[in-house]
Amino acid sequence: MNEKEVSEIRRRFRTEKNNIRSIRGCYVNTKGEIISEFNQSVALMPQEEAENFISILKKTLSGTLNKNLINMEFSTQQVVDSEEHRLLMALKDTSLRDEDVIHRFFQNVIGSIALDENYLILLTHDTYDVPFRSKDGQTQDDNSAEVYSYILCSICPVKLTKPVLGYYVNENTFRNCKTDWAVSPPKLGFLFPAFDDRSPNIYSTLYYVQDSSETYAQFVDTMFHCNVPMPAAEQKETFQSILCESLERECDFDTVCAVQEQLKNLIEEHKANKEEIPLTVSKGHVARILETHGVSKEHIESFEKQFDEQFGPETNLSPKNLVETNQLVVTAPNIKIQVNGSTDHLVETRVINGVKYIMIRAEDGVEVNGVPVHIT
């Protein structure tokens, strides 16, 4: 799924937009024991309660593609004959009305995750009459191309609220409000089937993680039996390590900044052109950047070899997972310099009389602990 397709489904999650009839739930404690299960009709809920449920589910479609939202692919054999795919199809095809299927799904989820807090499994089904979209991008709401039937699952921590002071009108006094268990935004979840080319794709699911450093590998293996992608945070650390180790002394300030700048430019161009296909870069793309900035052939070959070992020879990565797009951070012992991303050209390195310096060009507006100073 691309960003436009994710946004199109996210817009479904308003009380007046969707065809969600009920929400299934399973409340589980830290020991993996079911506290309660429920099947609540959206039509019978107070509007505010329905909006809260829909808002929580909607967060499962938030974040950045290839970082928080990951397209997971099923093999042909899985689609033809596999327990995990049959279960997902059964949930969708029965519109969550088969109790045995629901119970089996909840048990699979409980057996595949371990959280340090109580959690709530939310599951819902929706049908979307996909409006026809002409070549000029205009949609015709009264002309449906097909029906997209899908399920959405959200797994949310349930936390005990902290006691706070509150005003009690009838008593005209302030005292501690009662603590209670509150549902937090989802930590993980998924959409099935994927909405590719504005059509259902049973060969794919959109997987969500709130924390880009987590994968919940056992959950992915149990529910999808797909390869677990390297977490976005780990991708960044690994890429940085490869640069440092492969370039050795050629991993200097200018070269690293050049790689960062080129990748940021790609991100900006992709955004400006409103490209629908998610942006990725290969090892060859980074190698060309290194070559352009004078890195030796020996070190470029070392970079490509280590890239293959860590990520795989055919792997493409999202540049958003590799660089900081909003800032440049330079650190040294007892020093941290943080510069807005659009002004990172103000920082450079110099060796003067054998001493290494980090230099920052400064004009007016320099302050020391809030005190304006003059540079003379």
Side-chain angles (χ1 to χ4, degrees):
M1 291 178 67
N2 59 43
E3 290 180 1
K4 279 190 175 180
E5 290 160 347
V6 173
S7 296
E8 186 169 351
I9 301 305
R10 282 187 83 243
R11 289 194 292 271
R12 297 283 303 157
F13 285 82
R14 302 173 188 168
T15 51
E16 74 279 5
K17 288 280 188 180
N18 60 70
N19 291 315
I20 295 174
R21 289 182 168 80
S22 66
I23 295 174
R24 304 297 303 251
C26 183
Y27 184 29
V28 186
N29 65 20
T30 55
K31 297 178 181 179
E33 300 167 338
I34 296 175
I35 298 172
S36 69
E37 292 186 42
F38 61 84
N39 180 11
Q40 293 184 218
S41 169
V42 173
L44 298 179
M45 291 182 191
Q47 182 175 349
E48 187 175 350
E49 186 175 307
E51 289 174 352
N52 284 336
F53 268 115
I54 298 300
S55 176
I56 289 171
L57 291 163
K58 183 178 181 179
K59 288 182 172 65
T60 314
L61 297 173
S62 62
T64 305
L65 276 172
N66 296 320
K67 187 173 185 179
N68 309 99
L69 295 168
I70 305 163
N71 288 295
M72 309 282 286
E73 306 298 326
F74 295 103
S75 67
T76 301
Q77 182 57 40
Q78 282 181 287
V79 174
V80 171
D81 183 24
S82 72
E83 182 62 31
E84 64 274 3
H85 198 271
R86 273 197 299 273
L87 179 59
L88 295 174
M89 289 296 293
L91 289 168
K92 177 185 75 72
D93 292 343
T94 61
S95 303
L96 307 182
R97 292 192 178 98
D98 188 314
E99 295 301 324
D100 290 338
V101 171
I102 293 286
H103 184 70
R104 187 150 37 99
F105 173 79
F106 285 153
Q107 289 298 329
N108 282 1
V109 173
I110 294 167
S112 64
I113 60 172
L115 300 181
D116 296 330
E117 53 212 345
N118 293 0
Y119 61 91
L120 177 64
I121 308 169
L122 292 177
L123 188 62
T124 195
H125 173 266
D126 184 28
T127 54
Y128 175 33
D129 291 323
V130 184
F132 177 77
R133 180 175 290 172
S134 58
K135 291 182 179 180
D136 61 3
Q138 298 296 315
T139 57
Q140 301 173 14
D141 293 337
D142 57 347
N143 186 3
S144 175
E146 61 182 308
V147 175
Y148 171 51
S149 172
Y150 65 94
I151 57 172
L152 185 76
C153 173
S154 304
I155 300 174
C156 311
V158 179
K159 301 179 180 181
L160 189 64
T161 59
K162 295 181 180 179
V164 296
L165 284 175
Y167 179 62
Y168 288 76
V169 178
N170 294 336
E171 302 173 12
N172 190 28
T173 186
F174 283 87
R175 56 184 175 83
N176 276 356
C177 295
K178 180 184 176 183
T179 60
D180 215 333
W181 294 94
V183 180
S184 300
K187 277 196 170 183
L188 67 158
F190 67 89
L191 171 81
F192 176 83
F195 186 60
D196 288 337
D197 293 326
R198 306 187 71 241
S199 296
N201 178 7
I202 63 172
Y203 286 81
S204 182
T205 184
L206 186 67
Y207 177 53
Y208 167 79
V209 285
Q210 183 187 56
D211 183 351
S212 62
S213 67
E214 294 277 5
T215 59
Y216 300 98
Q218 188 177 350
F219 176 85
V220 172
D221 184 60
T222 300
M223 305 309 300
F224 315 127
H225 204 58
C226 297
N227 292 327
V228 182
M230 183 183 291
E234 188 178 339
Q235 287 182 29
K236 183 179 179 181
E237 292 176 4
T238 303
F239 180 76
Q240 293 171 339
S241 177
I242 292 172
L243 276 180
C244 176
E245 293 176 10
S246 62
L247 303 191
E248 297 178 338
R249 291 191 65 82
E250 287 190 281
C251 187
D252 57 24
F253 183 84
D254 291 339
T255 299
V256 171
C257 284
V259 172
Q260 301 258 337
E261 187 64 27
Q262 289 292 323
L263 294 180
K264 285 194 290 185
N265 288 342
L266 286 174
I267 295 169
E268 289 300 318
E269 289 174 12
H270 186 267
K271 183 178 180 181
N273 294 334
K274 298 181 179 179
E275 298 282 351
E276 294 188 6
I277 299 175
L279 175 65
T280 59
V281 293
S282 65
K283 67 177 180 183
H285 201 126
V286 180
R288 287 191 292 273
I289 296 174
L290 296 174
E291 183 180 9
T292 301
H293 289 275
V295 175
S296 66
K297 183 178 180 181
E298 175 189 358
H299 285 146
I300 292 175
E301 289 176 349
S302 177
F303 168 81
E304 293 178 320
K305 180 181 177 181
Q306 290 194 39
F307 187 100
D308 289 349
E309 291 173 353
Q310 295 293 331
F311 295 114
E314 303 301 324
T315 301
N316 290 340
L317 303 173
S318 169
K320 291 181 179 180
N321 294 348
L322 307 180
V323 297
E324 290 287 345
T325 57
N326 298 322
Q327 62 182 0
L328 173 73
V329 179
V330 182
T331 59
N334 302 318
I335 296 172
K336 182 175 181 180
I337 303 168
Q338 189 168 307
V339 185
N340 183 287
S342 62
T343 56
D344 52 13
H345 61 281
L346 300 177
V347 182
E348 58 181 301
T349 57
R350 293 274 185 89
V351 178
I352 303 174
N353 297 326
V355 181
K356 300 172 184 177
Y357 290 91
I358 300 171
M359 306 188 72
I360 307 169
R361 192 171 80 231
E363 303 296 341
D364 296 330
V366 178
E367 296 183 356
V368 176
N369 288 341
V371 180
V373 297
H374 297 285
I375 298 177
T376 58

